[in-house]
Amino acid sequence: MIKSKLNVLTLHKEPLPAVIFHEPEDIELCTTTPLMKTRPHTGCKVTYLGKVSTTGGQFSSGCTEQPVIELWKKHTLAREDVFPSNALLEIRPFQVRLHHQDLKGEATVHMDTFQVARIAYCTADHNVSPNIFAWVYREINDDLSFQMDCHAVECESKLEAKKLAHAMMVAFKKTFQSMRSDGRIHKDSSSEEVSQGFESDDG
C-alpha cells in the first residue's frame, strides 16, 4: 500500500519539469518586443546635402551637375569632419520620404515628402562624387506657381547611389501604371506628359 502511494506521488511530480522548461521561451519572446517597437524606417542611409533652384523645362544628362557642385561645396565648407549619415531616403510608389534623423541616427526629427509624379529627373552620375544621388522636383508654391529644385544626397557608396536611381525609376513606372489604370490620366498618355519628361540615369 505504501509503495503504491509513492508511485502516485512520483507521477504527480513528473509534469513539473515541463512547466519550468517553457518559462525561458516566454522570457525570450519578451526581450524581442522592444526591438519591434523601435524598428527603423526602411530606406537607404544618406547624408542630405540640401536643395538649390534650377532652371529649364527639359532635363537631360548633366543637368544636375552644376547644382550638385554648388551643394557639395557648401556641404564640405560647412563641416569640420566627415559627418555620418543623417537621414534615410525611402523610395516607394507615389511618394519619396526623406527621414531627417537625430545625431544618434535613432529617431526621425522631421520628414520631407516628395510626390513621385512631380519628379522630373534623377541621376547617380556626377563627376564631383560617384556617391551622390540627385533628383529634380517640381515644388508648387502657395500662389500655385512652381519652381524646379535640385535635391541631392550623399550615399555610403557608388553602388547605393545607383540603387537609388534604379528604385526611383521603378517607383515612377508603378505610379504611372496605377494612375493610368485608375483613370487619373489618359490611357494613351506617355510618362513625359505626367511628369514633364521624367528621366532616370542610373548608369
Side-chain angles (χ1 to χ4, degrees), residues 45-59:
K45 291 182 179 181
V46 297
T47 299
Y48 183 58
L49 303 181
K51 69 176 181 178
V52 63
S53 296
T54 185
T55 58
Q58 298 295 326
F59 300 96

Side-chain angles (χ1 to χ4, degrees), residues 2 16 20 42 75 84 99 113-114 134 136 193 203:
I2 295 175
L16 292 179
I20 297 172
T42 57
H75 181 69
H99 303 269
T113 58
F114 306 90
V136 177
E193 293 173 337

Side-chain angles (χ1 to χ4, degrees), residues 120-185:
Y121 183 83
C122 74
T123 180
D125 184 18
H126 296 97
N127 294 327
V128 67
S129 173
N131 296 358
I132 293 179
F133 171 70
W135 65 97
V136 177
Y137 186 70
R138 188 172 76 253
E139 187 69 47
I140 299 179
N141 302 317
D142 294 336
D143 60 357
L144 299 182
S145 64
F146 70 89
Q147 65 187 46
M148 307 303 289
D149 293 331
C150 178
H151 297 259
V153 295
E154 182 186 13
C155 304
E156 295 180 340
S157 67
K158 177 181 178 180
L159 179 60
E160 290 298 319
K162 295 291 185 183
K163 286 181 178 180
L164 286 178
H166 179 73
M168 190 76 82
M169 180 183 65
V170 172
F172 176 78
K173 286 183 177 179
K174 290 182 178 179
T175 301
F176 172 70
Q177 290 171 356
S178 179
M179 293 175 66
R180 186 168 58 179
S181 63
D182 291 345
R184 281 179 282 179
I185 57 176

Side-chain angles (χ1 to χ4, degrees), residues 12-197:
H12 281 304
K13 289 181 179 180
E14 286 177 356
L16 292 179
V19 176
I20 297 172
F21 176 77
H22 287 291
E23 286 180 355
E25 293 185 1
D26 294 336
I27 294 173
E28 289 177 4
L29 289 173
C30 292
T31 56
T32 60
T33 302
L35 296 177
M36 295 177 65
K37 291 181 179 180
T38 58
R39 183 176 61 86
H41 298 284
T42 57
C44 179
K45 291 182 179 181
V46 297
T47 299
Y48 183 58
L49 303 181
K51 69 176 181 178
V52 63
S53 296
T54 185
T55 58
Q58 298 295 326
F59 300 96
S60 58
S61 180
C63 69
T64 61
E65 191 66 37
Q66 193 58 41
V68 165
I69 290 175
E70 182 179 342
L71 291 171
W72 180 253
K73 286 182 177 179
K74 289 181 180 179
H75 181 69
T76 52
L77 289 174
R79 65 182 184 181
E80 296 179 358
D81 275 322
V82 178
F83 289 162
S85 302
N86 61 5
L88 283 175
L89 186 62
E90 183 182 7
I91 298 176
R92 57 174 62 187
F94 291 103
Q95 194 176 79
V96 175
R97 297 177 180 179
L98 184 64
H99 303 269
H100 298 274
Q101 298 186 308
D102 57 16
L103 295 177
K104 294 182 179 180
E106 297 177 351
T108 298
V109 179
H110 69 278
M111 181 178 67
D112 293 328
T113 58
F114 306 90
Q115 302 303 316
V116 171
R118 290 195 209 163
I119 295 175
Y121 183 83
C122 74
T123 180
D125 184 18
H126 296 97
N127 294 327
V128 67
S129 173
N131 296 358
I132 293 179
F133 171 70
W135 65 97
V136 177
Y137 186 70
R138 188 172 76 253
E139 187 69 47
I140 299 179
N141 302 317
D142 294 336
D143 60 357
L144 299 182
S145 64
F146 70 89
Q147 65 187 46
M148 307 303 289
D149 293 331
C150 178
H151 297 259
V153 295
E154 182 186 13
C155 304
E156 295 180 340
S157 67
K158 177 181 178 180
L159 179 60
E160 290 298 319
K162 295 291 185 183
K163 286 181 178 180
L164 286 178
H166 179 73
M168 190 76 82
M169 180 183 65
V170 172
F172 176 78
K173 286 183 177 179
K174 290 182 178 179
T175 301
F176 172 70
Q177 290 171 356
S178 179
M179 293 175 66
R180 186 168 58 179
S181 63
D182 291 345
R184 281 179 282 179
I185 57 176
H186 296 294
K187 290 189 176 182
D188 57 348
S189 297
S190 63
S191 59
E192 286 78 12
E193 293 173 337
V194 180
S195 66
Q196 291 188 341

